[in-house]
Amino acid sequence: MSAMLQLPLVVTAQVDLVLVLVSLLALWTRLSRLSYPNAVVFDERVFFIDDNGPPLDHMILALGAYLGGFDGNFVWNRIGAEYPSSVSVWSLRVLPALCGALCVPLVYLLTLELRFSHLSALGAAVLLLLGETLIVQSRFMLLESVLIFLVLLAFFSYLRFHNAPTSSWFHYVWLLLSGVSCAAAVGVKYMGLFSYLLLLGVAFLHAWNLIGDQSLNVCVQCVCRVVCLLVVPVLLYVFWFYLHLSLLNRSGPHDQLMSSAFQASLQGGLSRITQGQPLEVAYGSQVTLRSSASQLIPCWLHSHKENYPVRYENGRGSSHQQQVTCYPFKDVNNWWIIKHPGRQELVVDTPPRPVRHGDVIQLVHAMTSRFLNSHDVAAPMSPHAQEVSGYVDFNVSMLAQNLWKVDISNRKVESEVWKTILSEVRLVHVNTSAVLKLSGVSLPDWGFRQLEVVAEKLFKAHGSSLGWNVEEHRYGTSQEPKDGEAELHFPTHIDVDRKISFWAKFLELQWKMLTVKQEESEHKYSSAPLEWITMETNIAYWLHATTNAQIHLIGNPVSWGVANLSLLAYQLLAAVYMLRRRRGFKDLPDAVWDQFVCLGCVCVGGWSVNFVPFLLMEKTLFLYHYLPALCYLYLLSPALLEHTHTHLLSSVTHRRALCVCVSSVLLSVFLSYRTFCLLTYGSPELSANQLRELRWRDTWDILDRRH
């Protein structure tokens, strides 16, 4: 035992002091005075679902709020609204700020994994450290810093795995961390998917090169990559939603985007109305029918006593029968009674006789007793489709055509019964084979600006606007109209379980996030992607209520210019290299060429996949959308300078001149940071002259409140 234990015990550690220094500086620039300003800044918001994508980002922000004891009693409804003293602003903002700070040492380490020097790593870290846009974006409840951190971590972990010796199984931990980071990046924003695909492309090329190495077990290598970079990210992506739906099981402000079944599965909201409703729709049921069309605002099949005008503004005639519309509010005129065509009774039998797929029914408007009708009359706003009306017998030889066939599109084989909330139904007009649908067009003033409902031939209609589902449901028991009207206010309670599965919720959320588009509107600070490159735009994030203190998202002009020049220089240099290699001239050794190509794949490829998609998007865009792409250029610039210094410049004089130029540029980057940090941190108060001096471009919107 004494032979095994030798004293003294010595632990030797190597510490990169430069890495420690840049990490501390990053923490200081991102975390200092984090609670200032104590007000809502630009896009600090909380959403249940939005067009950004998956929910992990909001869960991260919610975690910071939870750790700070936030009780939820604050509404982010106005930029500049003061946070109450009970809200820990620091805890709300600390996680994005911490991610933004960690990006600096990550870039340092990533440069080293690309096989460049510590000096180049320091240069990349400095560019990120002094980037005003990155500092501002990371100091608030905004998501780009989280996305950037996760993407950089994914690439660093993968390259660490790739560069590690294959003799140790421990290096697969880095591969697993890369897959987890990719899943988290996609879980934060769908834009992370493009970087993930880029990483998969790099990994595929590396795996392809491994096939020729007979010293390795290729099958094991490939299986490990597939599991860590494909299977694990997919499982984690699903897990983010499972966690999200488990935690958010109550009704929220954006529930109306979801289906009735989804809403009814949440506590509160619609579930309070639908709890205890009969499950099976029967003859005599009183129902409200909600359109399944992908609209930001839901609406219900509706009618009222007013008729269509005899003639429209363009001179076309109508049936002059009772209007049928889709109304976006709960209303007693949304109720309809399911009637059997061969019976006069409007009550439910004992036991109830359920309506099944393929049955023919009539729909009676509960408040006016008019039958839902359609005929060969052009709809008011959609003349290619048929008018839908509440039938009125004007004794003008226009017979009622009020029979509708029930077509349950999501029925199960074992059950074809029409079910409350769960069944999505198409109502097919028996006489004309047209399908009841929401056209989405608003009616004029005579229709109270409600939405038009039409009947359209099935081969012309779009599937998303054809479905209807029963949302509120009661069994009618009274034959008298007045008693039946009173029944609408008193539900029939029958205990049933209509919970939908996690997979049904998951798939519906995916579809909504991909298809639901928020209403686009012009924004004062929106910009086009090409304006990001030339830095023609800025965003005023916060303005003091009484003074000229303000925070702006403005880039560091010097580092921004260096990034653009490095992108152009790499592309030109790569083109020259490839042309010469095609001609048989190898200017670089194979190892250096592989390093140069890997740099381009990661940096130029990373910039491309995070910038080019915005050129194709039809949505409101802002300068902060460019930040993930910009980070790759900050990583590219020092590495390209090192390549130029080492492999292109042979003269000592030229190398010294390059070093002098680089030193001057770095000094300019720092001086630019010092100049614009007044707008980065929002203090101190600025005079009118200072504001004019900071407006380096005429397109920048820097405001002077005293004028």
Side-chain angles (χ1 to χ4, degrees), residues 338-365:
I338 309 294
K339 179 183 176 296
H340 191 287
R343 302 177 58 189
Q344 294 300 318
E345 292 80 10
L346 297 178
V347 297
V348 176
D349 293 337
T350 305
R353 182 181 175 186
V355 181
R356 301 179 182 274
H357 171 75
D359 286 357
V360 175
I361 64 169
Q362 292 173 310
L363 285 167
V364 182
H365 188 240

Side-chain angles (χ1 to χ4, degrees), residues 315-529:
R316 286 193 300 111
S318 77
S319 66
H320 194 49
Q321 294 183 5
Q322 185 168 298
Q323 296 176 18
V324 173
T325 65
C326 206
Y327 190 52
F329 301 98
K330 298 285 187 179
D331 189 270
V332 71
N333 280 311
N334 297 345
W335 286 92
W336 299 81
I337 301 174
I338 309 294
K339 179 183 176 296
H340 191 287
R343 302 177 58 189
Q344 294 300 318
E345 292 80 10
L346 297 178
V347 297
V348 176
D349 293 337
T350 305
R353 182 181 175 186
V355 181
R356 301 179 182 274
H357 171 75
D359 286 357
V360 175
I361 64 169
Q362 292 173 310
L363 285 167
V364 182
H365 188 240
M367 298 301 293
T368 62
S369 299
R370 301 292 185 190
F371 285 82
L372 185 70
N373 187 79
S374 185
H375 37 223
D376 191 18
V377 176
M381 309 305 295
S382 306
H384 61 279
Q386 295 175 188
E387 177 191 85
V388 176
S389 65
Y391 180 72
V392 181
D393 186 3
F394 288 117
N395 197 23
V396 290
S397 301
M398 184 174 285
L399 300 177
Q401 300 181 43
N402 53 28
L403 298 178
W404 301 86
K405 187 176 74 171
V406 176
D407 182 4
I408 305 175
S409 57
N410 65 340
R411 65 189 183 278
K412 295 182 178 179
V413 176
E414 67 272 13
S415 175
E416 295 191 342
V417 175
W418 187 358
K419 295 183 179 180
T420 306
I421 292 179
L422 301 178
S423 297
E424 185 166 320
V425 172
R426 294 188 303 185
L427 296 173
V428 183
H429 191 234
V430 172
N431 297 81
T432 62
S433 299
V435 183
L436 186 74
K437 62 166 285 188
L438 170 66
S439 74
V441 182
S442 295
L443 296 171
D445 290 339
W446 54 257
F448 309 101
R449 299 291 173 180
Q450 296 174 17
L451 299 178
E452 180 190 43
V453 173
V454 301
E456 192 168 76
K457 298 296 184 181
L458 186 58
F459 65 88
K460 295 181 180 179
H462 296 289
S464 62
S465 58
L466 301 178
W468 302 84
N469 68 279
V470 171
E471 188 169 270
E472 296 182 66
H473 178 207
R474 291 134 190 201
Y475 279 167
T477 59
S478 177
Q479 189 69 30
E480 295 296 325
K482 289 186 177 180
D483 296 335
E485 181 178 333
E487 273 186 348
L488 298 178
H489 302 283
F490 299 97
T492 304
H493 292 286
I494 299 177
D495 291 329
V496 295
D497 182 11
R498 57 173 60 88
K499 292 182 180 179
I500 60 175
S501 67
F502 160 75
W503 290 108
K505 293 182 181 180
F506 173 78
L507 293 175
E508 181 176 343
L509 272 174
Q510 305 311 301
W511 177 249
K512 291 294 183 180
M513 288 186 297
L514 292 173
T515 58
V516 172
K517 294 183 178 180
Q518 303 292 338
E519 292 183 357
E520 298 294 338
S521 59
E522 290 295 327
H523 194 283
K524 181 179 181 180
Y525 293 108
S526 63
S527 54

